[in-house]
Each structure stands twice: as structure tokens, then as C-alpha cells.
Amino acid sequence: MIFTSPLWLFALPLALLPLVFGAQQEQAYPSLSEFETDPLSGTIDWALRMAGITAIAGLILGNAGIAWSEQSIERIGEGAHIVLLIDRSSSMDNNFAGQQTSGGEESKSAAARRLLKDFVAKREHDRFGVAAFSTSPMVVLPLTDHKSILFAAIDAMDRPGLAFTDVGRGLALAMKMQAQDPSHASRAVVLVSDGAAVIGRRLQDSLRTEFARQRTSLYWLFLRTAGTKGIFDVPASGEEDTPQVLPERHLNKFFQSLRIPYKAFEAENPEAVAAAIEEISKLERMPIAYNEKVPRRDLSRWAYAIAAAGLFILLLAKLFERGIGPNGGRYGAT
Amino acid sequence: MTSDALRDIAYRLPWRSSSVRNGTHRSRMTGGGGVFKDLAPLINQPDPRRLALRASLADPFETLKVKRLEQSTAISVYVLVDVSASMAFRGETNKIEIAADLSEAISICASRAGDDFGLIAFDLTLRPETFLSRTRSRSAHRDAVAKLRSLNPTNAGVTGISEAAAMLVGPRKLVFLISDFLWSDDELKYSFADLAAHDVIPIEIDDSRQIDKLPDWGLLRLYDIETSTRRLVAMRPKLKEEWRRRRNARRASLHARCAEAGRDAFQIKDRIDWDRLSSYLMYGYAA
């Protein structure tokens, strides 16, 4: 509770004035001693005094600029801090058959977008961040629980993508975003991509360190285009087995070697993507505590509203006031 | 009030005075002129001018009888005015003004009848500035009434009535007791006990603004001028009826006390009805 002009508070004792003075004109009467006090009148008297106190106190507090100070509230939710790491390479704009979309066909990015939005909408207590990567990674949205911003960020995937797929730096960025959040929530990175790339040896080492430090789950949602090599394809004997030839297989092997909770989903059509997302949402159910900042809230309008209510009651009482003198005239106390 | 509006009133006593001074009221004294009283032997009353021939002749013992005549006498009339704070209430009327008008009329009536007139105002104690001991001086009457008219009631309480009663020593007097009679039952009882030796005529000054003309609905912040208490009253017909009931109960107890003391109280509401007052003073009740 703070006040923008606290000097006004010196006037606050004035609020006690209604205890001493009534709002109505006093009228001399010969003798009241023979009449018993009337409970209803007593209640009204008390209520009017209270109304007077509220009116004066409300006006003073309103002038003093009463407000709630900025606060941070700790909330406990079930869920996780999830960074959606989304591939923005141009191949995402193709359909699952690897062709340019035409007519009613859904591109991979559109399917991913639709399903991710469903996912986000279902997970009420999670906080999400969004990062995108193609040639270089970029933060789209830091971790937040404001769903409308999230939807907008996911919609932003719609923009036409760029050529390359730099998974390694994307992951590094996602880990950095997670590291910025100091809470003890369970963490997850959902990597959505339709291809893989070679991660350099040096970057591999740094990622290994990061994942070991932060205990982050990793889900890889691989939107496989028909006819391309899959994650789990074992090359036939005699075929070359190098990251350059089979980047997906080797990236998967790299993730498995991280010794973190890791699961890869290979989805070849929108239904498979939906199933994969369903599974991720089953896996990530841990209670999390997080702080939410509440900005300073100005309460002076409420103070004025309460004062107005008090004044309204007093005004009503004034309208109902009657005199006992001739023609409703009023007499002083003596 | 101007003297034009001031009506002539008269009073008659239902009792006989034993005062020795000549006047207009019936008495227990015998004297030179007036109404026939009784017969007495000439030995006891050696006044042969009043010889009662028929009674003397009819007496078997042949005693000479003399008529005795009643001597009319003068009495003292006192007006006791309650000037406690509650008399300061101004509704339709000014109660002190009414009390002064009444006192003036009574003083004129008293001096016309040859009676003494005295005026005593009291609240918690006697108000010495308006005190007038019994006198036949017209100018003294006028002064006392003028002082009463300009008096400002401020003190609460009516216990000064005992002191006033102590001033009324001597033979039986006619005492007008003018008040709003917003007294407790004890105050009524002790006041009438203090004045028991005299013929007390209670005159109650009421104001229709006190109950009858109160608004039926509304908020009133009332200030009790007698006790200085303040009270907010949410007036409504039910409460007004309750107040009227209480006021009537108090009036009933006043009438009971007055009946014990011998005379019913005369009520003045908002203005003095002189004809009713005269009728009340002559016959003991108001038509």
C-alpha cells in the first residue's frame, strides 16, 4: 500500500468528525426523556455516521493517491517451462509430401502451428517460450504464460522461412532462454523440425555441458517428409554412416548420448504430429512454482467511489430531513 | 400581546378564606355587610340593629336572636411560573410569552377584586430577578410581568418549586402554577405536596409542534433543551403514535395528581382561549 501524495494523510483524523457532529440541523425539543430510544433510529444514526466517516476518509485517501504497490505473487501450477524451438527453414512451408502447398493442402509449418496452438491452449499452467531457427536462431518470445502473446508468436511461424537448418545454435539459444529463468520448474525443449543438420564438435560439447547442468527434457518432433531418411533408419550395410549423409540418425544418437529425458517422435502426417504432442503433454506434468509480477494498482478511483457512496447516503438522509418548526422551518439548538 | 387581546377573566373560590381584610371572596368571618350567615343569641352578638324578629318570636325559649352576616374578604393570588429550559421551546407559540400574558390577566383580575398579587419564577432554584412578593401595587405587577416576559429560560430542573412553596407562608392562597408539565411523576408528586396548603390551579402550556404537528416521515435530529442530549429520530407514523401514547400517559398522570390536589389542570394549546379559561376558573372545569 503506497500513497503518491502522503501529506494528505495528515488530514485523515478529520474522518472522525462525524462521530462528534451530525449531518442534520439540530432542532430544539422540550423533552426527550419520556421517549425511549428507538432502535431503528439508532441504527440509522450509526449508519449515517459511518457513511460520513467513509466519505471523508475516502476523499482524503483518494487525494493521497492510494495504490497497491508493485507486487510479485508466487503461483503454483502444474506443468513445465517449455521452449518451443521451431524450424523456420523453407522446407517447412512444403507439405508432408515435400511439395509446394497448393489448394487445401496443409504445409508442415501450418500443421505444426495448428497443433502447437492446441497444445499451448490445453496446458493452462505451463509457461512457454518460443524460439525459431533457420540460418541463425532468434528469440521470438521469452518464457511467459500469457496465452494470447503465445498464439501470436506461434502464428508468426507463418512467415516464409529461410534456407538452412542450424539445429545446434537453435538448441543453444533454447537452453539460454531456459537458463534465464531461475525457478525450479521442470523444463523441456520441444524441437520441431523437418530435418537435421550436423552439429559441430565444439557446439556439441557446450550443449552437452548445458543439458547436464540444467536437467532439461528434450522432445524432438521430426516432421518427416515422405521418402526422406528417418531418425531411426539404420543404413544398409555398405552404405555410408556419417552425420553428413544421415544427419537425422546422428542427431538422434547425439541426443541419446546426452543422458537426459529425451524422446523423439517421427511424424509423417498431421495425425502423427497430434499423437506426438499428446504424448509430450502426458509426460510433462510436474508442479511448478513461479513468480508473477503485479504492477502497481491505483486504488484512488475506488476510494472516490466509496466516498461517493457515502456522500450519496448522506444526501439521501439530507433529503429525508424534516424540520419541526412552522412551515418545516428549523430552529437552532438554543 | 397587546392589552386589546387581553381578555377579562374572573376567578371564584370553592373555599372560604379566613383572611381579615375586606374583599370580594366568601369567608369564614362575620362582619358588617354581605350575605346572611347564621343566627346568634343577642348575648353573644350584642348588635340589636341586626335583631332577627321572626326567629326571635319563633324561639320557644324566647331568646333574642341576631342575624350574623358574612364578611367578604380579600385573598392573595400567586402565579408560579416554571422557567426551566424546556419552556424555551418555540413551536407555534412562545411559552414564556403565554405565561406572561396569563400573569398579566391574572394580576389585573386580582387587583380588580382587591386581592394581592405575587409572581414567582423558578427553575432549579428561584429566579430572584422576577420575584414579586404579594402586593396590590399595579406598577409592581406590571414590572414583574415585564421581567417575566423578557426572561430567557436556560436552567434545567424544577426543584425551585419547593423554595417557591416556602415563600407562600400564611393563610390559604390561590396559586396558579404555569408550566409545560414535562415533569417526572416524582416531581409532580412532591410539587403538589409542597403546595398542598394552597388552592393550586395547574395551567399546562402545550404546543402542537411537540407531537401533533411532527412530520409523519423523516429524519429529525432533536436536541433536548432540558437535558442537552441529542438524538436522531427516524420519524414514522408508528413511532409518532408511540410518542403520542407516552405523552398521553404522562398527561394522564398529571391529571391524576391534579385531581388529588383538588383541581383539574387547564390545558393551553398554542393560544389562550380566554372564554374557556374564565369558565374553568368560575366553575372548576372547562366546557
Side-chain angles (χ1 to χ4, degrees):
Chain A
M1 192 78 77
I2 56 165
F3 299 94
T4 50
S5 36
L7 274 180
W8 273 98
L9 295 179
F10 282 112
L12 207 50
L14 290 177
L16 296 177
L17 279 179
L19 291 180
V20 187
F21 301 106
Q24 288 79 29
Q25 176 83 47
E26 277 181 357
Q27 305 180 75
Y29 193 76
S31 175
L32 290 170
S33 53
E34 63 191 302
F35 307 124
E36 279 168 9
T37 47
D38 168 40
L40 178 65
S41 305
T43 313
I44 290 177
D45 189 19
W46 183 85
L48 288 183
R49 285 174 197 276
M50 286 299 125
I53 290 174
T54 2
I56 297 176
L59 287 176
I60 291 172
L61 290 180
N63 274 314
I66 188 171
W68 285 118
S69 50
E70 180 189 286
Q71 280 175 326
S72 92
I73 299 172
E74 183 165 80
R75 293 197 177 171
I76 293 186
E78 183 191 70
H81 290 183
I82 300 174
V83 173
L84 304 173
L85 182 60
I86 298 166
D87 185 358
R88 289 296 302 115
S89 62
S90 54
S91 58
M92 285 290 280
D93 298 333
N94 298 344
N95 62 13
F96 278 89
Q99 291 148 0
Q100 290 286 316
T101 52
S102 60
E105 278 180 326
E106 198 176 26
S107 70
K108 283 182 276 186
S109 68
R113 201 169 68 232
R114 179 170 57 80
L115 294 161
L116 283 175
K117 276 164 82 174
D118 281 355
F119 175 57
V120 166
K122 260 185 264 172
R123 311 270 305 180
E124 274 178 36
H125 302 291
D126 288 351
R127 303 182 77 196
F128 286 93
V130 179
F133 69 93
S134 57
T135 309
S136 64
M138 59 183 171
V139 178
V140 178
L141 183 69
L143 281 169
T144 178
D145 53 0
H146 292 285
K147 295 289 190 278
S148 51
I149 310 178
L150 262 169
F151 289 149
I154 294 171
D155 277 338
M157 278 172 66
D158 214 8
R159 303 292 113 213
L162 296 170
F164 300 103
T165 309
D166 194 346
V167 183
R169 280 167 64 197
L171 274 173
L173 176 75
M175 293 312 290
K176 206 172 139 195
M177 282 166 65
Q178 289 282 22
Q180 277 167 355
D181 178 67
S183 74
H184 300 288
S186 76
R187 297 149 193 276
V189 172
V190 177
L191 169 62
V192 183
S193 81
D194 67 339
V198 183
I199 300 178
R201 176 65 61 184
R202 187 171 294 175
L203 194 55
Q204 273 190 25
D205 284 346
S206 101
L207 282 174
R208 217 179 278 282
T209 325
E210 272 304 305
F211 274 105
R213 200 152 60 84
Q214 285 196 44
R215 302 303 309 159
T216 307
S217 316
L218 179 62
Y219 300 96
W220 184 13
L221 183 58
F222 179 57
L223 308 176
R224 183 179 177 185
T225 314
T228 57
K229 299 275 183 194
I231 301 175
F232 308 113
D233 285 356
V234 181
S237 57
E239 242 182 288
E240 218 177 338
D241 185 11
T242 60
Q244 279 74 22
V245 178
L246 294 168
E248 289 85 8
R249 175 177 145 78
H250 283 271
L251 187 63
N252 186 35
K253 282 174 88 177
F254 165 65
F255 287 155
Q256 280 165 342
S257 73
L258 288 174
R259 280 177 296 191
I260 52 166
Y262 163 68
K263 212 160 162 51
F265 303 94
E266 206 178 61
E268 290 171 318
N269 49 51
E271 290 74 32
V273 176
I277 283 178
E278 193 62 34
E279 200 173 337
I280 295 174
S281 86
K282 267 183 211 151
L283 286 172
E284 288 299 328
R285 285 217 180 279
M286 294 273 286
I288 52 167
Y290 61 97
N291 286 322
E292 188 177 275
K293 286 221 162 150
V294 181
R296 190 180 84 190
R297 242 181 49 223
D298 184 22
L299 296 178
S300 61
R301 74 180 65 180
W302 292 107
Y304 285 131
I306 290 170
L311 288 172
F312 180 70
I313 293 171
L314 289 178
L315 182 68
L316 276 185
K318 202 73 192 163
L319 290 177
F320 279 110
E321 188 184 339
R322 296 283 179 274
I324 62 171
N327 310 319
R330 286 162 190 153
Y331 290 105
T334 50
Chain B
M1 175 176 282
T2 59
S3 54
D4 295 341
L6 205 61
R7 301 291 184 80
D8 203 4
I9 56 169
Y11 49 85
R12 195 177 62 169
L13 306 182
W15 46 276
R16 296 185 180 199
S17 131
S18 45
S19 164
V20 293
R21 222 178 53 234
N22 281 8
T24 52
H25 301 287
R26 300 191 65 180
S27 76
R28 286 197 281 270
M29 314 301 283
T30 53
V35 190
F36 168 77
K37 191 182 178 214
D38 59 357
L39 297 167
L42 183 64
I43 307 289
N44 293 2
Q45 183 80 23
D47 183 2
R49 291 174 300 169
R50 302 271 185 265
L51 204 63
L53 291 176
R54 188 195 294 271
S56 304
L57 286 173
D59 186 55
F61 302 104
E62 298 186 344
T63 322
L64 286 174
K65 302 268 185 174
V66 174
K67 286 183 198 166
R68 285 202 298 190
L69 301 176
E70 192 180 294
Q71 174 67 58
S72 55
T73 59
I75 56 163
S76 297
V77 177
Y78 268 94
V79 175
L80 265 53
V81 186
D82 169 13
V83 291
S84 63
S86 62
M87 289 286 282
F89 176 68
R90 296 211 186 170
E92 293 289 309
T93 57
N94 179 347
K95 293 182 174 182
I96 291 294
E97 195 77 22
I98 285 198
D101 286 345
L102 263 179
S103 307
E104 194 174 353
I106 293 167
S107 77
I108 292 169
C109 175
S111 47
R112 186 174 297 160
D115 296 332
D116 296 335
F117 174 81
L119 181 69
I120 303 176
F122 65 93
D123 42 46
L124 200 60
T125 57
L126 285 189
R127 292 288 287 250
E129 67 268 31
T130 52
F131 179 78
L132 174 71
S133 192
R134 61 191 179 92
T135 172
R136 285 205 254 178
S137 156
R138 296 286 291 270
S139 64
H141 297 172
R142 271 198 297 275
D143 281 357
V145 170
K147 276 177 191 155
L148 172 65
R149 206 180 285 282
S150 60
L151 192 124
N152 186 21
T154 47
N155 300 340
V158 291
T159 49
I161 196 169
S162 330
E163 292 177 49
M167 309 300 280
L168 308 180
V169 287
R172 193 165 200 204
K173 298 174 174 60
L174 185 64
V175 175
F176 290 86
L177 179 56
I178 302 175
S179 171
D180 52 9
F181 287 107
L182 297 168
W183 299 1
S184 70
D185 202 40
D186 277 353
E187 284 168 336
L188 279 174
K189 192 165 83 181
Y190 294 128
S191 305
F192 280 106
D194 284 338
L195 294 169
H198 306 287
D199 182 12
V200 181
I201 301 181
I203 295 184
E204 181 199 358
I205 304 179
D206 193 14
D207 195 307
S208 52
R209 294 268 167 207
Q210 275 170 229
I211 292 286
D212 298 345
K213 290 191 184 168
L214 280 182
D216 282 338
W217 295 95
L219 288 178
L220 313 169
R221 184 171 291 280
L222 299 181
Y223 169 79
D224 183 341
I225 43 184
E226 187 79 14
T227 58
S228 301
T229 53
R230 293 164 169 80
R231 196 189 291 177
L232 184 79
V233 180
M235 190 50 78
R236 50 201 189 277
K238 201 175 143 204
L239 187 64
K240 191 175 166 183
E241 206 43 52
E242 166 75 11
W243 280 29
R244 197 194 300 279
R245 203 177 56 71
R246 296 213 160 247
R247 177 56 51 83
N248 287 343
R250 172 162 292 196
R251 187 161 291 143
S253 90
L254 168 68
H255 284 278
R257 292 284 166 210
C258 294
E260 284 171 24
R263 286 207 196 228
D264 199 6
F266 180 76
Q267 193 192 46
I268 292 174
K269 199 161 203 170
D270 300 340
R271 57 178 200 84
I272 307 172
D273 184 341
W274 295 101
D275 296 335
R276 266 185 89 236
L277 178 60
S278 288
S279 147
Y280 165 76
L281 291 175
M282 294 299 286
Y283 308 115
Y285 62 91

